[in-house]
């Protein structure tokens, strides 16, 4: 059965590297010391080098050069550092071409980083309260495509029939496969022990009206995803099916001018950030 094969593929999907898991464990620990973070990262020099490259990118806005993890934590904060560790860890797996969705090499990475930048831009522009973890939720919102891509490819004729009947891509996925990439993504992140707010935003990013509770992180990730597609970043087979939810736009008080402003900022930052990590 397709459903069982998908469940097995989720289980065997690579976990978050041990370094990231250890750091995530520290995030809510009030007794956490910078020396503990240094100790964990010292065991992974390649990861440390990439985190420092990212910390020095203009997006994070530190004018002086950051030369050590200690400095990065002091200047950017622990939460930012952990976001960067996760970003470096997933850039390698997201740089691959994604079959089924017709995403060329590096495009899922560019799309993911675009949604993170757009989400943070929207939070600022709309002056809404959202947890800092929104960066990570946005970065990982389409992680399910990495597992579901092969299944979408094999069953594409079924999906195409549903699309011709006017169904959205994620509904067509569900009709053909019994699940969709948002649900699969949420299952992967639960497996990785990420916070439930992040899992929730990933699970409902295409259908925010269906989520049990309204939630700003989810609303923003939903709009940021639409925005990235609108500016042509991550435009795969499913791209043209996207429409932002009217309820979400209303809740956020979103205006076209704000959307356009954040979209143009996003385009600039994506070029810079995807160059820093490559992703392929
Ligand atoms: Fe998606
Ligand atoms: Fe997306």
């Amino acid at each position: 059965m397709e459903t069982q094969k998908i469940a097995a593929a989720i289980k065997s999907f690579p976990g978050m590297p041990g370094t990231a898991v250890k750091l995530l464990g520290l995030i809510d620990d009030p007794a956490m010391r910078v020396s503990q973070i240094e100790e964990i990262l010292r065991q992974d020099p390649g990861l440390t080098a990439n985190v420092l490259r990212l910390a020095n990118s203009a997006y994070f806005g530190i004018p002086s050069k950051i030369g050590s993890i200690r400095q990065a934590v002091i200047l950017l904060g622990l939460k930012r550092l952990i976001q960067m560790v996760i970003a470096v860890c997933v850039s390698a797996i997201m740089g691959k071409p994604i079959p089924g969705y017709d995403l060329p090499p590096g495009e899922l990475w560019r799309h993911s980083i675009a949604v993170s930048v757009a989400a943070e831009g929207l939070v600022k522009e709309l002056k809404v309260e959202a947890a800092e973890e929104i960066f990570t939720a946005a970065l990982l919102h389409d992680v399910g495509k990495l597992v579901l891509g092969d299944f979408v490819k094999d069953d594409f004729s079924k999906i195409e029939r549903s699309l011709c009947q006017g169904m959205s891509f994620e509904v067509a996925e569900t009709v053909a496969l019994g699940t969709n990439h948002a649900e699969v993504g949420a299952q992967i992140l639960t497996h990785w022990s990420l916070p439930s707010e992040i899992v929730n935003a990933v699970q409902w990013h295409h259908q925010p009206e269906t989520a049990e509770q309204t939630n700003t992180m989810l609303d923003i990730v939903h709009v940021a995803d639409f925005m990235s597609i609108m500016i042509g970043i991550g435009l795969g087979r499913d791209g043209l099916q996207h429409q932002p939810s009217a309820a979400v736009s209303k809740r956020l008080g979103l205006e076209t001018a704000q959307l356009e402003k954040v979209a143009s900022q996003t385009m600039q930052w994506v070029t810079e950030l995807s160059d820093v990590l490559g992703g392929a």
Side-chain angles (χ1 to χ4, degrees):
M1 267 306 288
E2 213 70 325
T3 332
Q4 282 160 347
K5 281 192 208 155
I6 295 170
I10 293 170
K11 271 211 181 120
S12 61
F13 188 68
M16 194 57 102
T19 317
V21 172
K22 280 186 208 157
L23 284 167
L24 276 167
L26 289 178
I27 201 164
D28 289 323
D29 182 357
M32 180 280 306
R33 293 186 313 276
V34 182
S35 57
Q36 285 173 279
I37 300 169
E38 287 178 310
E39 185 51 40
I40 293 170
L41 281 172
R42 194 167 300 137
Q43 295 157 19
D44 199 335
L47 175 63
T48 305
N50 278 325
V51 167
L52 289 176
R53 282 177 66 196
L54 198 55
N56 280 303
S57 69
Y59 179 72
F60 295 102
I62 303 295
S64 57
K65 187 151 171 60
I66 296 176
S68 69
I69 291 297
R70 177 166 290 263
Q71 242 182 326
V73 175
I74 292 166
L75 294 170
L76 294 164
L78 175 63
K79 287 196 172 180
R80 241 338 180 200
L81 183 88
I82 290 179
Q83 287 165 12
M84 289 178 187
V85 169
I86 294 175
V88 171
C89 292
V90 296
S91 68
I93 50 175
M94 281 199 182
K96 297 184 303 181
I98 316 294
Y101 297 95
D102 259 2
L103 291 165
E107 193 57 16
L108 183 61
W109 170 248
R110 259 165 49 81
H111 173 65
S112 305
I113 206 84
V115 178
S116 288
V117 169
E120 292 197 330
L122 284 165
V123 166
K124 240 193 205 162
E125 181 63 28
L126 299 169
K127 300 186 178 63
V128 290
E129 290 278 327
E132 280 184 69
E133 285 76 19
I134 199 162
F135 183 91
T136 307
L139 189 77
L140 297 173
H141 77 283
D142 271 341
V143 72
K145 287 186 177 176
L146 292 170
V147 165
L148 216 54
D150 285 327
F151 297 92
V152 167
K153 188 175 132 221
D154 292 347
D155 265 330
F156 196 68
S157 54
K158 255 194 221 166
I159 292 181
E160 213 167 22
R161 272 200 300 279
S162 299
L163 293 175
C164 288
Q165 289 165 22
M167 285 181 210
S168 64
F169 200 90
E170 61 285 353
V171 173
E173 283 176 326
T174 311
V175 169
L177 305 167
T179 188
N180 60 57
H181 70 274
E183 266 175 27
V184 169
Q187 284 165 345
I188 292 171
L189 301 187
T190 304
H191 219 99
W192 287 359
S193 307
L194 289 192
S196 57
E197 206 184 357
I198 295 182
V199 175
N200 182 66
V202 170
Q203 181 161 359
W204 303 110
H205 73 270
H206 288 292
Q207 296 159 309
E209 306 89 355
T210 321
E212 272 176 26
Q213 287 173 340
T214 57
N215 173 295
T216 309
M217 186 186 284
L218 166 61
D219 284 354
I220 294 277
V221 169
H222 171 74
V223 175
D225 186 29
F226 161 75
M227 183 187 284
S228 305
I229 297 295
M230 186 181 86
I231 57 179
I233 303 177
L235 193 68
R237 255 177 187 155
D238 57 335
L240 296 173
Q241 299 291 321
H242 287 275
Q243 273 300 324
S245 146
V248 170
S249 302
K250 198 171 164 209
R251 266 203 295 275
L252 293 173
L254 188 68
E255 287 166 16
T256 312
Q258 294 172 310
L259 208 60
E260 283 167 1
K261 182 176 166 194
V262 179
S264 94
Q265 290 166 352
T266 302
M267 286 210 273
Q268 290 170 13
W269 289 123
V270 168
T271 312
E272 195 225 335
L273 285 170
S274 50
D275 280 356
V276 172
L277 287 180

